[in-house]
C-alpha cells in the first residue's frame, strides 16, 4: 500500500534525528542551506517492492541545468557512489562504495546475498548486503 495520499492538510518528512539518533550531518547541512527557499514535498511512501520514499524538491535558482536522476543512476551501484545505510547496526551512516564483490556471501541469517563494502566518513569499512543501502543522489 502506498501512503501519503490521505487528505490531512500537512505533510511532515522525518529523515532521522529523533530520540538518541542524530540527523545525518550531510542531510542537516543540505536542509540548512535551503532555509527560506520555496519547496515542494511529496509524502508518498511504500516500503515493499518498488520502494517509494518521501521527497523534498527545491527548485534551482542558479540557472543550472537539471539532471535526470535516472540518467545518473541507470547502472545502479557503482564504485565511489555515496550511499546511506538503512539497517542496524550502522543505520543512518553515510559512506562511499569501496567494493562490489561479484560472489554471493553468507550473512547472519545464513542466506547468501550480494554485498558491498562501504567506506564510512570516519574511514572505517563495513561489508553489508546491497539491499541495506540507499543511493544518495547529489
Amino acid at each position: 500500500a502506498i501512503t501519503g495520499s490521505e487528505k490531512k492538510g500537512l505533510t511532515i518528512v522525518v529523515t532521522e534525528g529523533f530520540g538518541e539518533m542524530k540527523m545525518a550531518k550531510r542531510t542537516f547541512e543540505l536542509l540548512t542551506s535551503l532555509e527560506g527557499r520555496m519547496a515542494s514535498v511529496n509524502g508518498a511512501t511504500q516500503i515493499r517492492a518498488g520502494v517509494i520514499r518521501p521527497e523534498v524538491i527545491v527548485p534551482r535558482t542558479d540557472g543550472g541545468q537539471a539532471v535526470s536522476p535516472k540518467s545518473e543512476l541507470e547502472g545502479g551501484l557503482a564504485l565511489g557512489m555515496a550511499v546511506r545505510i538503512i539497517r542496524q547496526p550502522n543505520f543512518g551512516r553515510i559512506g562511499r562504495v569501496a567494493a562490489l564483490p561479484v560472489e554471493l556471501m553468507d550473512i547472519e541469517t545464513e542466506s547468501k546475498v550480494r554485498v558491498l563494502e562501504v567506506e564510512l566518513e570516519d574511514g572505517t569499512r563495513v561489508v553489508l548486503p546491497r539491499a541495506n543501502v540507499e543511493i544518495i543522489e547529489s
Side-chain angles (χ1 to χ4, degrees):
I2 298 176
T3 66
S5 60
E6 302 85 359
K7 296 191 189 281
K8 297 292 180 190
L10 177 66
T11 300
I12 297 174
V13 176
V14 178
T15 60
E16 64 254 329
F18 45 93
E20 299 279 326
M21 182 179 293
K22 293 180 183 178
M23 179 185 282
K25 182 179 178 183
R26 183 172 173 179
T27 304
F28 180 79
E29 288 171 352
L30 173 63
L31 293 174
T32 300
S33 74
L34 299 170
E35 185 175 354
R37 303 244 321 257
M38 183 65 70
S40 295
V41 176
N42 177 359
T45 305
Q46 178 175 307
I47 57 173
R48 300 205 182 264
V51 173
I52 298 172
R53 300 235 186 248
E55 55 190 348
V56 177
I57 302 163
V58 179
R60 294 183 72 147
T61 58
D62 62 3
Q65 288 293 99
V67 177
S68 167
K70 290 191 192 262
S71 66
E72 282 181 5
L73 306 176
E74 242 171 50
L77 287 169
L79 292 177
M81 187 172 274
V83 294
R84 178 175 173 269
I85 300 173
I86 58 172
R87 297 282 184 271
Q88 290 296 353
N90 291 296
F91 179 79
R93 296 193 66 189
I94 306 256
R96 295 213 169 263
V97 177
L100 291 165
V102 176
E103 63 279 351
L104 298 175
M105 181 181 261
D106 290 327
I107 59 171
E108 284 183 54
T109 62
E110 299 180 11
S111 295
K112 289 186 179 289
V113 298
R114 294 225 184 279
V115 299
L116 78 161
E117 184 175 352
V118 176
E119 183 172 338
L120 301 172
E121 292 175 317
D122 65 4
T124 59
R125 290 183 175 221
V126 293
V127 175
L128 57 150
R130 293 183 188 189
N132 289 5
V133 299
E134 60 186 7
I135 296 170
I136 298 176
E137 297 177 43
S138 53

